[in-house]
Amino acid sequence: MAATRTFSIIKPDATRRNLTGAVTKMLEEAGLRVVASRRIQMTKDQAEGFYGVHRERPFFNDLVSFMTSGPVVVQVLEGEDAVKRNRDVMGATNPADAAEGTIRKAFAESIEANSVHGSDSDENAKIEIDFFFKPEEIVG
Ligand code: IDP
Ligand code: MG
């Protein structure tokens, strides 16, 4: 099967605890390759745009505040069935439900501060990658 791409964010709760390397190691051990990476301070506009699908959810404003509360690392990951592979190693949204061996089980602080984002479909992966990266910034 051909390699595909997905989009990942190491969230502020993880960068604050200096877990960028630890999270990336788990992604790599799951068979994903970092083909683009940038550490940024997300603006309110960026966070609102990125999470636009959640605009009507009760936690939207808190989520935007959280995602702009510190640096994040935006990454493009490549591997076989990358979207599913990444979702599997991330674990459930709520760390209380996350399986052993997943990033959220190991590191997440709460259902909100859950250490990582990962695209949920190939379509959204493309949209999310394009939101943060130019084609020439992705080197596989
Ligand atoms: P996902 O990140 O596992 O795909 P989504 O439902 O897409 O989960 O939610 C996006 C993000 O919004 C979550 O990762 C988490 O940071 C936050 N979030 C989701 N549900 C809740 C909630 O019930 N309370 C607070 N924050 C939430
Ligand atoms: Mg999601």
Side-chain angles (χ1 to χ4, degrees), residues 60-123:
F60 179 73
N61 288 335
D62 285 345
L63 179 60
V64 169
S65 296
F66 166 61
M67 291 301 289
T68 57
S69 68
V72 301
V73 181
V74 291
Q75 308 205 101
V76 181
L77 307 176
E78 195 172 84
E80 231 176 73
D81 207 0
V83 168
K84 179 173 189 302
R85 198 175 278 264
N86 185 39
R87 295 292 308 192
D88 285 351
V89 73
M90 286 165 59
T93 307
N94 186 345
D97 302 328
E100 285 296 337
T102 63
I103 293 168
R104 284 167 166 171
K105 175 72 176 182
F107 299 127
E109 294 181 323
S110 67
I111 191 170
E112 176 183 79
N114 59 6
S115 303
V116 279
H117 166 85
S119 309
D120 60 9
S121 67
D122 286 339
E123 295 72 26

Side-chain angles (χ1 to χ4, degrees), residues 13 17 44 52 54 57 68 83 90-91 97 118 129 132 138:
D13 67 286
R17 288 175 289 152
K44 186 162 180 278
H54 295 309
R57 311 267 294 266
T68 57
V83 168
M90 286 165 59
D97 302 328
I129 290 168
F132 285 102
I138 304 168

Side-chain angles (χ1 to χ4, degrees), residues 5-34:
R5 288 176 175 173
T6 190
F7 177 72
S8 164
I9 304 176
I10 302 176
K11 294 185 178 183
D13 67 286
T15 62
R16 178 169 45 76
R17 288 175 289 152
N18 204 21
L19 293 171
T20 297
V23 169
T24 302
K25 183 165 189 278
M26 290 182 75
L27 296 171
E28 291 176 342
E29 284 173 351
L32 294 159
R33 176 179 295 267
V34 178

